[in-house]
Amino acid sequence: MSDVEILFLIIAVVTLLAALFVVTTPNLVHAALWLILTLFGVAATFVLLNATFLAVVQVVVYIGAIAVLMIFAIMLTRRVMKDSGPQTNANWGWAALLGLTLFAGLTFVLINSGAADASLPALAADVDPLVQLGQELVSPNAYVIPFELASVLLLAAMIGAIAVAWKE
Amino acid sequence: MLDNWLYIGLFIIVALFIPAVAVFLPRLIAPRKPNAIKQETYECGIETVGDAWVQFKVQYYIFALVFLVFDIELVFLFPWAVAFDKLPLFAVMEGVLFITILLVGLLYVWRKGALEWA
Amino acid sequence: MGDPINLISQWFTNLLLGWGLAENLVIVISLAIGAAIVATLGMITVIALIWVERKIAGRLQDRLGPNRAGPYGLLQPFADMIKIFTKEITTPDGADKVAFNIAPVLAMASVLLIWAVIPFAATVVGTNINVGVLYIVAVGSFGVIAVLMAGWSSNNKFALLGAFRAVAQMVSYEVPMVIALLVPVLLARSMGMNDIVAAQTPWFIILAPLAALIFLITSMAEVGRAPFDLIEAESEIVAGFHTEYSGMGFGMFYVSEFLHVWTIGALIATFFLGGWSGPGAENLPILGILYFYIKTFIGYFVITWIRLSLPRVRIDQLLAFNWKFLTPLALVVLIVTAIVDKSLEMVGVERWAYALIMLAANLLIGWATVLILKAIEPARARQRVEFEPRPVAVAPKPTDN
């Protein structure tokens, strides 16, 4: 195994364990904190894939904004010092089976399609990938419509959220 | 490329390790005489009433929400700013339009009164 | 000869290779040592800063400052260190012990991590990653999480309230801060810290004075120092999110605050004051480090000066100032910078004319802002709540007997 593969294994195991704790811990705030570790693990995976912009965006948006919003929401609505009830109900076995089936199916498709053996396409050496991303985002031949739509969508999301949460 | 990030990964370990040692070290040398009064929740000498959870204003949530939307939008603008040299005027105006939509959103929230603290 | 730091690192790498270690291992070891040196340097700087800050505070407030321990009170920080290391660490009942102990470590780490990307000189850079600016924003979010963890795990309603205030303030001021950071990124066409330094002819404080001002104000709010220190308003919420911390747990929050202010000085120097650049710095990295530290100190001094001069604001003023003034202003500055930059590029002007027009554009925005503020001042004055004057200490009427 190469060094990068060993690093990937360590990061993957930590990420998955943290994700497991998210769903098993009885304390909601602990769950949110474990979720932060999971998200950080995903960011580290992005770094290993050389997607460094996505890695920092993952941390800025998911840990810096979404996780904080979630903790705020938990703390606004629940009595946060107390554990909530048991984390399982009668159907947990079926849920686990469903999850495993889905995972097996995805693995099967991935291996059969040959995507698992494909190597990463090389980046253009002379151009900064970030510059390319910036050009593509606002280029009329590429993603300008999704780019502007994202702005409108976020505006709509903000208006909707204010309308729901804010009473005069 | 990955070398740079290896440095950051190692820096994360070091930056966690040094303060962790600094927090752990006093446990070896500092006195440790806990008692019931000392371990009480500190409220300037007044006895604590109820638990630590009190009803918070919904404004905290609203500000976090508005921040979230702004944060995501601003992140999109960074590649646009980096590629600025290679962008034609049309693409620059696309970015300006994007910022203007953001500004309109801010004005809406403002007019709606959601930015008032009272 | 002008670059002793890289010389030493080269020599050290060759030494390890000479011992027959694998090349990958040598890279990891030398990078780890580099990281340890930079982080330790940060911690040691704080020791000096505590003395400097208390001396400045003393002088600005017409006092002497520390002057007992050692000559000029120079040994004061060491006395403080010994004290804080030997203090008992108490953990309140009902606290979440693990989160309670991780929070101060995380707070410190979030500040230290910024130093991984700061260029000290032309050749002395931890790492010049191409997303440096966003990396700084990302690392800052760990500080937010640390504050939330500290406030929640203390099981104290004032700590939790303080954490809520702190986080509302930190995330709110992050918006104009990120917009202000977009301006130097746009001017330099890069997010790499060293690229931004290299692009500064002239310094960005001339091309973007408003962005520099917004960055200064917002980063002061990020640290939570006066006039934005209502997250630890002692008359309202005891000491804020670190109420329950004692000994080194509190010490870490304290040290991270000091280092954060110094770090902001370094960021202002890097983004707006030309970083390590200066006469002769290209060839003599030692000179670059000297320039960098002088500029950092200027930023640090300005922040300390403001802190010691202004009273605390109220939370409604704080949030209104951010959302209704700084954020729209920063967005306008960004739009104008982008349009002016592109039009000048298309016209094709000399660099000095470009700088002059940029400066004029910024001054124009600043002037317009002042005019608008003056125009709406009557409306704002009407909103102000007027109280009946309440006589608190009325002199007793002189009586006849």
Side-chain angles (χ1 to χ4, degrees):
Chain A
M1 269 196 299
S2 72
D3 296 348
V4 175
E5 281 170 338
I6 295 170
L7 266 180
F8 169 75
L9 275 183
I10 296 171
I11 292 168
V13 167
V14 170
T15 310
L16 287 177
L17 277 182
L20 190 67
F21 286 132
V22 173
V23 288
T24 52
T25 175
N27 188 313
L28 270 177
V29 179
H30 282 172
L33 294 177
W34 282 117
L35 180 65
I36 290 169
L37 186 60
T38 313
L39 296 170
F40 185 73
V42 175
T45 315
F46 277 136
V47 170
L48 285 186
L49 288 171
N50 248 330
T52 52
F53 178 71
L54 276 184
V56 280
V57 166
Q58 168 87 10
V59 175
V60 169
V61 171
Y62 280 88
I63 298 182
I66 290 179
V68 169
L69 191 74
M70 282 172 72
I71 295 180
F72 263 38
I74 293 169
M75 289 186 177
L76 275 169
T77 52
R78 305 293 177 96
R79 297 204 155 257
V80 286
M81 297 302 159
K82 298 190 176 71
D83 291 356
S84 57
Q87 291 302 294
T88 52
N89 64 17
N91 289 326
W92 72 270
W94 292 110
L97 190 67
L98 193 66
L100 280 178
T101 316
L102 196 62
F103 178 70
L106 279 176
T107 316
F108 180 74
V109 170
L110 265 180
I111 290 174
N112 262 17
S113 71
D117 302 322
S119 55
L120 288 174
L123 294 168
D126 49 338
V127 193
D128 190 347
L130 216 52
V131 175
Q132 278 180 319
L133 178 65
Q135 278 178 298
E136 297 280 296
L137 269 183
V138 283
S139 154
N141 303 324
Y143 299 106
V144 69
I145 304 249
F147 178 71
E148 296 296 337
L149 272 183
S151 178
V152 176
L153 178 72
L154 285 167
L155 178 68
M158 184 160 71
I159 291 174
I162 296 284
V164 171
W166 181 250
K167 300 266 188 311
E168 308 258 347
Chain B
M1 185 64 189
L2 269 180
D3 255 16
N4 285 335
W5 287 86
L6 181 66
Y7 177 76
I8 284 178
L10 291 168
F11 208 102
I12 291 175
I13 295 170
V14 170
L16 286 172
F17 179 74
I18 293 178
V21 168
V23 170
F24 177 74
L25 213 59
R27 292 191 184 277
L28 303 178
I29 49 177
R32 203 162 175 74
K33 301 189 194 78
N35 66 45
I37 304 286
K38 203 187 276 175
Q39 306 300 107
E40 258 182 15
T41 297
Y42 180 76
E43 290 187 10
C44 301
I46 296 168
E47 297 230 345
T48 311
V49 179
D51 61 9
W53 192 82
V54 287
Q55 183 68 55
F56 290 103
K57 282 169 88 87
V58 71
Q59 262 87 359
Y60 287 111
Y61 183 74
I62 302 247
F63 281 114
L65 204 82
V66 177
F67 157 72
L68 170 67
V69 171
F70 271 79
D71 210 33
I72 296 174
E73 301 214 8
L74 290 174
V75 155
F76 277 115
L77 283 173
F78 274 94
W80 170 77
V82 170
F84 210 73
D85 261 346
K86 304 245 170 77
L87 298 182
L89 185 65
F90 168 78
V92 171
M93 292 323 281
E94 285 296 335
V96 170
L97 177 67
F98 189 87
I99 303 169
T100 314
I101 296 175
L102 200 61
L103 204 53
V104 169
L106 181 70
L107 285 178
Y108 169 82
V109 183
W110 190 342
R111 292 294 296 169
K112 186 86 180 163
L115 295 180
E116 306 296 329
W117 185 255
Chain C
M1 199 53 234
D3 194 1
I5 291 168
N6 279 317
L7 215 64
I8 292 172
S9 109
Q10 272 296 325
W11 169 80
F12 184 74
T13 313
N14 288 334
L15 182 76
L16 287 186
L17 283 173
W19 287 351
L21 293 176
E23 195 174 350
N24 278 358
L25 195 66
V26 172
I27 292 175
V28 169
I29 291 175
S30 46
L31 284 181
I33 290 176
I37 290 174
V38 172
T40 316
L41 198 70
M43 302 285 269
I44 291 172
T45 315
V46 175
I47 299 174
L49 282 184
I50 290 173
W51 180 83
V52 170
E53 175 131 356
R54 289 179 67 177
K55 265 305 194 208
I56 296 176
R59 291 294 166 176
L60 287 182
Q61 294 169 344
D62 210 6
R63 297 183 284 115
L64 284 174
N67 66 345
R68 295 286 149 163
Y72 306 103
L74 271 172
L75 295 179
Q76 189 64 45
F78 297 98
D80 288 348
M81 266 173 60
I82 294 170
K83 185 189 82 172
I84 211 155
F85 261 106
T86 51
K87 276 223 165 188
E88 177 173 359
I89 296 181
T90 57
T91 315
D93 286 336
D96 188 292
K97 292 221 165 42
V98 179
F100 188 79
N101 285 312
I102 291 177
V105 176
L106 199 58
M108 188 73 226
S110 81
V111 181
L112 276 180
L113 276 174
I114 296 178
W115 287 88
V117 294
I118 286 183
F120 291 91
T123 53
V124 187
V125 191
T127 164
N128 187 25
I129 48 174
N130 65 345
V131 288
V133 175
L134 264 182
Y135 167 84
I136 289 169
V137 179
V139 162
S141 54
F142 291 119
V144 178
I145 300 294
V147 168
L148 269 178
M149 276 171 85
W152 171 75
S153 64
S154 296
N155 191 30
N156 177 323
K157 55 174 81 80
F158 293 105
L160 191 53
L161 199 53
F164 263 64
R165 275 195 187 188
V167 172
Q169 174 175 333
M170 285 161 108
V171 298
S172 291
Y173 276 78
E174 198 174 314
V175 172
M177 189 178 84
V178 173
I179 305 172
L181 284 182
L182 265 165
V183 174
V185 169
L186 193 147
L187 293 173
R189 270 83 158 142
S190 172
M191 280 201 264
M193 302 289 277
N194 218 356
D195 302 341
I196 290 179
V197 172
Q200 295 195 40
T201 48
W203 293 356
F204 284 168
I205 192 155
I206 295 168
L207 298 184
L210 283 178
L213 186 67
I214 293 169
F215 182 73
L216 175 74
I217 296 172
T218 51
S219 43
M220 283 177 69
E222 289 283 319
V223 192
R225 281 218 150 171
F228 304 109
D229 62 342
L230 69 175
I231 57 179
E232 44 195 60
E234 57 276 2
S235 52
E236 298 160 23
I237 48 173
V238 192
F241 62 88
H242 55 63
T243 298
E244 292 288 0
Y245 283 90
S246 63
M248 209 55 206
F250 165 74
M252 274 299 120
F253 283 116
Y254 184 76
V255 169
S256 76
E257 186 193 309
F258 267 86
L259 186 60
H260 203 166
V261 178
W262 179 251
T263 309
I264 285 161
L267 291 179
I268 290 173
T270 309
F271 288 137
F272 297 105
L273 298 180
W276 46 260
S277 62
E282 289 282 352
N283 305 319
L284 215 59
I286 290 287
L287 217 53
I289 295 178
L290 184 69
Y291 292 141
F292 171 74
Y293 269 99
I294 292 173
K295 288 169 184 174
T296 303
F297 186 78
I298 293 172
Y300 171 79
F301 181 77
V302 168
I303 295 173
T304 311
W305 189 6
I306 296 172
R307 173 203 175 197
L308 293 164
S309 309
L310 293 181
R312 185 180 292 152
V313 296
R314 283 198 319 262
I315 189 161
D316 60 322
Q317 295 170 329
L318 173 101
L319 292 167
F321 179 62
N322 177 66
W323 289 106
K324 299 179 182 173
F325 180 75
L326 284 181
T327 307
L329 178 65
L331 284 172
V332 170
V333 168
L334 179 60
I335 291 177
V336 170
T337 310
I339 293 176
V340 170
D341 186 281
K342 202 70 206 176
S343 353
L344 289 185
E345 186 191 305
M346 287 164 73
V347 175
V349 295
E350 295 283 316
R351 188 68 183 172
W352 62 268
Y354 171 86
L356 219 58
I357 294 171
M358 270 294 177
L359 181 64
N362 268 276
L363 291 179
L364 210 63
I365 300 172
W367 183 60
T369 312
V370 172
L371 282 189
I372 292 172
L373 283 182
K374 273 194 177 153
I376 60 171
E377 179 59 25
R380 274 160 43 85
R382 264 203 310 282
Q383 286 178 351
R384 218 169 275 150
V385 187
E386 297 286 346
F387 292 105
E388 288 288 309
R390 283 190 300 179
V392 266
V394 185
K397 286 201 181 81
T399 44
D400 293 335
N401 44 4

